[in-house]
Amino acid sequence: MNALESKILPNSKDKAYSNLNDEMTPLRETHVQTDTTNNREIIDIIDFVLVYEKENKQKEVIDTFLYNLLVNGLETQEKQEEKQVFVLIKIPFEKCLEIAEKIKHKMPIEKNNLDRYDLPDSIWNRFESLRPIEIVRERKRRYFTAPYNSSIRYKFEKYFDKNNIDQTIPTKDRCLLAYEILSRTTYSKRLEDPAIFSGNDNDRNIGIDRLIAQGIFEACYPIHEDYGFVDEKKTNRQLLWEYWARPKNWAIYQPIFIIRQYFGEKLAFYFSWLGFYTTWLVLPSIVGLLVFLYGAITLVWDRPTNEICDPSGMGNLTMCPLCDQMMCQSWKLSESCFYSKISYIVDNPFTVFFSVFMAVWTVLFIEFWKREQSKLQFEWDVIDFEKKNEILRPEFELKVNTKRKNPITGEEEPYVPFLKRFTRYFFSFSMVILMIFLVVALVIGVIAYRVSLIMAFPRETDQTWISLMTSVSAACINLFLIIILSRFYSWLAVKLTDFEYHKTDSKYENSLTIKMYLFQFVNFYASIFYIAFFKGRLSLVRVYNGFIEPCNQSGCLSELCIQLAIIMIGKQILNNIQEIIYPLAQNYWTRKISHRCNKKDEKNQSRWIEDYNLMSWTNLTLFDEYLEMVIQYGFITLFVVAFPLAPLFAFLNNILEIRIDAFKVLTQLKRPLPKKAQDIGIWLPILNTISKLAVITNGLIIAFTSEFIPKLVYRFIEFIEHEEVVNLEGYVNYTLSKNEILIDGKMTVCYYRDFREPYDSPDKFEFSKTYYYVLVARLAFLVLFEHVVFLIVTVMHWIPDVPKLVQDQIERENLITQKALWEIKPEAKSQSFYNLNRFNLNLPRLSESGQESPTVHMVNINECANEVNEAEKEIKTERA
């Protein structure tokens, strides 16, 4: 058959169909469409669409590939346009079963008739009144499943749709099965018999991905459903548009089960986790807001702040210059009033409570997400997907030439020797470290900018203005560098991960995730770590102005708050603007160009042409969404002490983020390949690591950056000396040290913030006893804080990861699967003996009584096994 001819189905009168349980991609009309160009029917189900230029120079390669797709069992239909040719692809049902058996795809094998099945829903999801009846999910999973096996086909056939056999396998699974053939079909030669690449040949001209990378094909994508109704039922895409993608639905439960049916488990896990995370942000948002409001309300009664802001009292103290005296001038303490107010608002008596609360919250969030995830794994039938069902990456099979026998399965498979793998990993790791050092160097450059800017202002400039301009401008520059470096490193990380030869998609994505997150961790958090733990503490000499960059008189916490707010909120605003404007603008421009070239009415375009004009889904699309949220999670946990409003801003952003992402994937992007996934991948261990690190960082910020411990020590000393509770009167003077400088031709006493001996002491500029008192108190608090929090965390880890009801269902399904695989129909047994006898194997024959014939000759076991293997291979070849 000529590859350009369309393979027409003999019986294509089945109606397009879509409902909440059985799904299928409907066309614009209910019945089969007709190609008016050649009066041929368009195939009734479109699982995939391939696109290539009509005037393509590689036409012979295209024809060979399309011909081989037909040989390998796919059905195709070509649609000619002005500039492009669209190849519509369908995978027949029997071919679906064949591929399903090869990749161990699960199918229904027995009804779930257990009465004790009612998985508990989350508190947020129990508000049934918020859910429209059309998207209320059926909580009970209707079937137990098992990997499809043709030997026990009769067990699976009970659940085939006899009226429309193609509806037996959902659209998302049909797309995956079709993609297995597309990604493993050769285009170097025309096939005579079906041959799907399995790593056993030296042919490297394999798969649609390679053809797209070479520019031979322009696109390859599953087709979107139409909006509207089919058989008086709304399509899944229409339901998602009405109840998910619109911003007005911000308070409505996400229809996760419809998202899963339409986009697959991998994308559904992301939106499920994002919704769960956003819901859990409600409580810390309220608590953080209350802590912030408490600080703002009680600010007027804070004695240290009032003393600093009093220009006729302590505020009139002359402070030493912040840099060299030739470049900077002395200033008054009252000029730091603004920063002192910010410091108290975020560093009030309830800050420690909020820090402990957030540490417990992070652990509870992780533990309860594990439970929610386990319920979804069972409901979506992916609980052991990566362990048993994940296949080799086609790219891995293409690139790896060496093979070895798998010690577990005993089958030949591609293998990368240890030395080669180690060399590639080492090179990749070295590049990651190099990029991290580059980020650190840029952070040092920003520090140098801050110091230079302080020195560049005229001496008479107000110090508050200098500090504010320095902090804000440096934070903006840092944000700009962060965004630029992120773009470059995303490209580099993909190249490095491709270089490493990963065996499966999950291992590939885990490696890419670790690289990206390590870099982004340093990229986003380096400047914040510097302000929190190093600024004002790096001294070259022991005098007050030996600090590379001193903190404000009120401490570094106010600057940390400003830096954190600018980077976190600025990043969220820029990302949301980009996610809205960029896809709309690019798709608008693409549609205009396409309309100009094809000269057809844009409203009457076919669905596959409309999808072609949408942005392409890439490997980094979902990854970038995860990365954005995990970086945000770090902001609200690692440094929440410095910015109690961080959870509130994250909550507000995520409400918008869910709808923006939904709008984007539903209307602005080509439909992604509906990949399966077992969970959110390596992001969960990363979240768990951040949660533990947050306990340490928040403890360090309270102990060494905030004023909590110095104030506590001052109260304690004053209580010991005066035997009465003090209200921090005189605390500001307690934190100042004295020096003498030349001002207007005469020596004048000035003050700076530190615990050092005065200039007229025999041990001038040495640390005072108070410094060591405070240091001991800080260390003691840090040890006590972390031990108490980690003790609470340990107790929280006793929460089971899998609910008891889910565990019962898992064990029940395993039992059913095990029984099914051992129950072979008698006819199947007879057929197997018949097949063995066809090949004249020297096996002992049985008499009618069932006893072994005494005249039979004994055979060598190894020879018998070899003959059986050869017979099985020939049987499989005949079936293919």
Side-chain angles (χ1 to χ4, degrees):
M1 178 184 291
N2 192 313
L4 294 179
E5 291 185 7
S6 301
K7 187 171 181 179
I8 307 301
L9 307 183
N11 297 313
S12 55
K13 297 181 181 180
D14 299 327
K15 294 185 294 183
Y17 178 87
S18 177
N19 61 25
L20 299 184
N21 297 314
D22 299 312
E23 47 180 328
M24 172 177 166
T25 302
L27 299 176
R28 194 175 290 277
E29 299 177 3
T30 303
H31 297 284
V32 179
Q33 291 183 319
T34 301
D35 182 358
T36 58
T37 304
N38 49 24
N39 293 322
R40 289 176 174 176
E41 291 182 339
I42 297 176
I43 56 179
D44 57 338
I45 299 177
I46 303 175
D47 296 313
F48 252 93
V49 177
L50 306 183
V51 186
Y52 65 89
E53 287 186 358
K54 185 179 290 186
E55 304 298 331
N56 199 309
K57 296 179 180 179
Q58 301 286 337
K59 195 64 169 61
E60 185 177 349
V61 175
I62 294 174
D63 290 348
T64 300
F65 182 69
L66 296 180
Y67 176 84
N68 291 342
L69 292 181
L70 293 175
V71 174
N72 280 335
L74 295 182
E75 297 174 354
T76 65
Q77 173 92 40
E78 289 195 354
K79 289 290 294 178
Q80 304 281 340
E81 297 296 334
E82 294 290 335
K83 297 290 186 181
Q84 288 88 19
V85 178
F86 292 82
V87 183
L88 313 182
I89 293 176
K90 173 187 175 180
I91 179 171
F93 178 70
E94 290 300 327
K95 180 59 68 172
C96 282
L97 295 182
E98 178 186 335
I99 303 300
E101 184 172 13
K102 289 184 178 180
I103 67 174
K104 301 178 182 178
H105 178 76
K106 288 186 176 182
M107 296 181 66
I109 195 170
E110 184 171 314
K111 282 188 176 180
N112 181 5
N113 53 7
L114 297 182
D115 295 331
R116 190 180 174 226
Y117 185 89
D118 189 18
L119 294 182
D121 217 341
S122 62
I123 296 176
W124 181 262
N125 294 342
R126 290 176 185 173
F127 292 98
E128 293 288 346
S129 60
L130 296 177
R131 305 191 218 176
I133 190 64
E134 291 177 299
I135 63 170
V136 174
R137 63 175 174 171
E138 182 180 0
R139 299 273 307 288
K140 181 176 179 179
R141 184 172 140 194
R142 293 183 297 171
Y143 302 104
F144 291 120
T145 62
Y148 178 74
N149 191 324
S150 58
S151 300
I152 51 173
R153 174 169 175 156
Y154 68 96
K155 282 187 169 289
F156 297 95
E157 283 181 339
K158 294 184 294 184
Y159 305 105
F160 289 177
D161 189 338
K162 303 299 190 299
N163 296 325
N164 190 343
I165 197 68
D166 287 323
Q167 292 181 13
T168 299
I169 299 179
T171 299
K172 66 181 182 62
D173 294 333
R174 293 174 58 87
C175 292
L176 282 175
L177 297 172
Y179 180 74
E180 286 300 318
I181 298 178
L182 289 170
S183 63
R184 298 169 187 276
T185 298
T186 182
Y187 55 87
S188 61
K189 60 182 180 180
R190 292 205 170 201
L191 298 174
E192 297 180 0
D193 299 310
I196 300 176
F197 178 74
S198 58
N200 297 322
D201 301 321
N202 294 322
D203 185 6
R204 291 296 173 259
N205 296 319
I206 301 290
I208 186 63
D209 292 329
R210 197 174 181 87
L211 287 168
I212 291 177
Q214 295 173 357
I216 299 175
F217 278 88
E218 292 185 352
C220 170
Y221 52 89
I223 193 172
H224 271 297
E225 292 182 358
D226 277 323
Y227 298 104
F229 293 79
V230 173
D231 291 343
E232 299 182 352
K233 293 182 179 179
K234 292 180 181 178
T235 64
N236 282 343
R237 197 181 189 195
Q238 180 67 29
L239 289 172
L240 292 175
W241 169 249
E242 289 185 11
Y243 301 115
W244 183 49
R246 291 182 177 179
K248 70 176 184 179
N249 298 321
W250 67 270
I252 296 179
Y253 163 80
Q254 292 188 90
I256 294 297
F257 76 109
I258 302 181
I259 298 172
R260 179 235 174 182
Q261 287 180 352
Y262 193 74
F263 290 110
E265 287 79 6
K266 191 169 186 177
L267 193 62
F269 264 119
Y270 164 72
F271 281 105
S272 179
W273 174 81
L274 181 56
F276 186 86
Y277 168 49
T278 303
T279 303
W280 271 69
L281 281 175
V282 172
L283 186 57
S285 298
I286 295 173
V287 176
L289 180 61
L290 292 176
V291 171
F292 182 85
L293 291 177
Y294 173 84
I297 293 171
T298 59
L299 175 63
V300 295
W301 295 291
D302 182 54
R303 186 57 65 99
T305 303
N306 291 335
E307 290 180 353
I308 292 174
C309 295
D310 182 11
S312 60
M314 289 292 296
N316 196 38
L317 288 179
T318 300
M319 304 300 293
C320 299
L322 295 177
C323 61
D324 187 86
Q325 193 172 344
M326 297 295 295
M327 304 296 296
C328 303
Q329 67 173 359
S330 59
W331 52 287
K332 296 299 182 180
L333 179 59
S334 60
E335 294 180 21
S336 64
C337 177
F338 174 74
Y339 281 97
S340 298
K341 291 179 179 179
I342 294 178
S343 293
Y344 176 76
I345 290 174
V346 300
D347 186 16
N348 58 66
F350 280 96
T351 300
V352 177
F353 160 76
F354 186 53
S355 178
V356 175
F357 168 80
M358 286 301 297
V360 175
W361 176 88
T362 56
V363 177
L364 289 176
F365 166 69
I366 297 295
E367 292 302 317
F368 278 91
W369 165 249
K370 290 178 182 177
R371 293 172 63 85
E372 179 69 16
Q373 182 175 261
S374 66
K375 288 188 285 185
L376 294 177
Q377 286 175 339
F378 178 75
E379 289 179 2
W380 296 350
D381 200 18
V382 292
I383 206 157
D384 55 356
F385 169 71
E386 291 182 5
K387 182 178 180 181
K388 296 182 179 180
N389 301 92
E390 192 171 21
I391 60 177
L392 298 181
R393 296 176 65 236
E395 296 87 347
F396 176 78
E397 294 181 297
L398 285 172
K399 294 177 181 178
V400 178
N401 296 319
T402 56
K403 296 181 179 63
R404 72 167 185 178
K405 182 176 291 187
N406 188 307
I408 299 175
T409 64
E411 299 178 354
E412 288 283 330
E413 65 177 13
Y415 169 72
V416 181
F418 171 78
L419 184 60
K420 185 176 181 179
R421 187 170 64 249
F422 174 80
T423 304
R424 290 174 177 269
Y425 284 2
F426 180 78
F427 174 79
S428 181
F429 176 77
S430 301
M431 291 299 296
V432 172
I433 296 300
L434 177 64
M435 291 302 301
I436 289 176
F437 278 124
L438 175 61
V439 175
V440 173
L442 290 176
V443 171
I444 295 174
V446 173
I447 296 171
Y449 162 80
R450 295 166 66 103
V451 175
S452 301
L453 190 61
I454 292 174
M455 299 175 66
F457 278 102
R459 295 185 62 194
E460 62 274 8
T461 307
D462 183 82
Q463 291 297 320
T464 303
W465 174 253
I466 293 176
S467 298
L468 184 62
M469 284 298 300
T470 302
S471 298
V472 172
S473 61
C476 292
I477 291 173
N478 193 35
L479 177 61
F480 175 76
L481 292 175
I482 284 171
I483 295 173
I484 296 300
L485 283 175
S486 296
R487 299 293 180 187
F488 169 73
Y489 191 76
S490 296
W491 172 83
L492 180 62
V494 171
K495 295 299 181 182
L496 291 176
T497 310
D498 290 339
F499 180 71
E500 292 173 351
Y501 291 175
H502 290 285
K503 192 173 182 179
T504 61
D505 281 334
S506 61
K507 291 182 179 180
Y508 177 91
E509 291 171 3
N510 289 347
S511 178
L512 178 62
T513 301
I514 291 174
K515 291 185 189 66
M516 286 293 296
Y517 188 74
L518 281 177
F519 174 80
Q520 299 290 15
F521 185 92
V522 178
N523 197 20
F524 280 96
Y525 302 143
S527 61
I528 300 175
F529 269 99
Y530 163 71
I531 296 174
F533 304 121
F534 300 104
K535 185 178 180 182
R537 296 181 177 88
L538 300 174
S539 57
L540 301 178
V541 292
R542 291 181 296 176
V543 295
Y544 76 94
N545 61 353
F547 299 118
I548 292 179
E549 187 187 10
C551 289
N552 188 275
Q553 170 57 32
S554 60
C556 289
L557 203 61
S558 57
E559 296 183 44
L560 179 61
C561 178
I562 293 173
Q563 181 86 359
L564 185 61
I566 290 176
I567 293 179
M568 176 183 173
I569 299 175
K571 175 180 177 294
Q572 291 178 348
I573 292 174
L574 291 176
N575 282 342
N576 287 335
I577 292 175
Q578 176 187 340
E579 289 188 27
I580 294 174
I581 295 179
Y582 180 67
L584 288 172
Q586 179 166 325
N587 288 338
Y588 174 81
W589 181 252
T590 304
R591 284 194 298 269
K592 287 300 178 184
I593 295 176
S594 176
H595 178 64
R596 201 177 301 135
C597 294
N598 293 326
K599 299 179 181 180
K600 287 188 177 182
D601 187 0
E602 188 174 343
K603 295 182 180 179
N604 295 325
Q605 285 183 338
S606 301
R607 166 54 54 196
W608 48 85
I609 298 178
E610 292 182 14
D611 287 2
Y612 173 71
N613 292 328
L614 298 177
M615 284 182 60
S616 297
W617 181 279
T618 67
N619 291 333
L620 290 179
T621 302
L622 184 58
F623 176 85
D624 289 338
E625 301 298 338
Y626 267 119
L627 183 62
E628 178 185 352
M629 289 297 103
V630 174
I631 292 294
Q632 181 200 88
Y633 182 80
F635 282 129
I636 70 165
T637 54
L638 295 173
F639 311 103
V640 71
V641 173
F643 191 36
L645 293 179
L648 177 61
F649 282 105
F651 173 72
L652 297 175
N653 173 80
N654 290 0
I655 290 176
L656 187 61
E657 179 75 22
I658 291 175
R659 306 307 160 182
I660 291 176
D661 288 346
F663 174 80
K664 184 173 67 175
V665 300
L666 191 65
T667 66
Q668 302 302 309
L669 294 176
K670 291 182 177 69
R671 188 176 183 179
L673 181 66
K675 292 184 178 180
K676 287 185 176 293
Q678 184 174 332
D679 45 37
I680 63 173
I682 201 173
W683 294 110
L684 184 58
I686 289 176
L687 292 171
N688 206 10
T689 303
I690 294 174
S691 300
K692 291 180 170 58
L693 183 60
V695 177
I696 300 174
T697 56
N698 284 300
L700 288 171
I701 290 174
I702 294 174
F704 291 94
T705 306
S706 76
E707 293 294 299
F708 176 75
I709 298 301
K711 288 179 179 179
L712 200 63
V713 172
Y714 177 75
R715 288 178 183 272
F716 179 77
I717 293 176
E718 290 296 312
F719 177 78
I720 295 297
E721 293 180 355
H722 301 95
E723 297 184 354
E724 63 179 358
V725 179
V726 296
N727 57 2
L728 295 179
E729 183 177 358
Y731 172 75
V732 175
N733 189 56
Y734 172 76
T735 61
L736 298 177
S737 298
K738 294 189 293 185
N739 191 26
E740 190 177 43
I741 61 173
L742 185 65
I743 300 178
D744 296 333
K746 62 178 181 179
M747 300 301 295
T748 305
V749 175
C750 68
Y751 295 84
Y752 61 97
R753 186 175 184 272
D754 205 351
F755 297 108
R756 292 182 183 269
E757 296 294 340
Y759 68 95
D760 54 356
S761 170
D763 301 321
K764 62 179 181 179
F765 305 131
E766 293 286 349
F767 287 121
S768 63
K769 292 181 179 179
T770 304
Y771 169 82
Y772 293 103
Y773 294 155
V774 173
L775 179 61
V776 170
R778 283 172 168 166
L779 294 174
F781 169 82
L782 182 62
V783 173
L784 180 64
F785 174 84
E786 293 183 356
H787 277 70
V788 169
V789 173
F790 277 123
L791 177 62
I792 298 173
V793 168
T794 302
V795 174
M796 295 298 104
H797 278 304
W798 290 350
I799 300 174
D801 292 345
V802 181
K804 180 65 167 59
L805 292 176
V806 176
Q807 188 62 45
D808 291 344
Q809 299 301 308
I810 295 172
E811 293 176 1
R812 170 68 173 167
E813 184 175 46
N814 290 337
L815 178 63
I816 290 172
T817 303
Q818 193 174 28
K819 286 183 178 179
L821 293 177
W822 284 101
E823 291 177 5
I824 304 296
K825 211 173 183 180
E827 292 84 357
K829 293 182 181 179
S830 301
Q831 183 67 25
S832 62
F833 275 104
Y834 166 74
N835 288 330
L836 291 175
N837 290 331
R838 283 177 56 203
F839 293 95
N840 299 320
L841 301 182
N842 296 322
L843 295 177
R845 287 177 170 75
L846 303 180
S847 63
E848 294 183 358
S849 62
Q851 300 295 322
E852 183 178 321
S853 174
T855 60
V856 73
H857 297 284
M858 299 302 294
V859 298
N860 185 282
I861 292 297
N862 293 330
E863 293 179 359
C864 181
N866 292 335
E867 292 186 23
V868 170
N869 290 335
E870 291 296 328
E872 290 179 349
K873 289 181 180 178
E874 293 190 32
I875 292 171
K876 289 181 179 179
T877 302
E878 284 189 359
R879 288 179 179 174

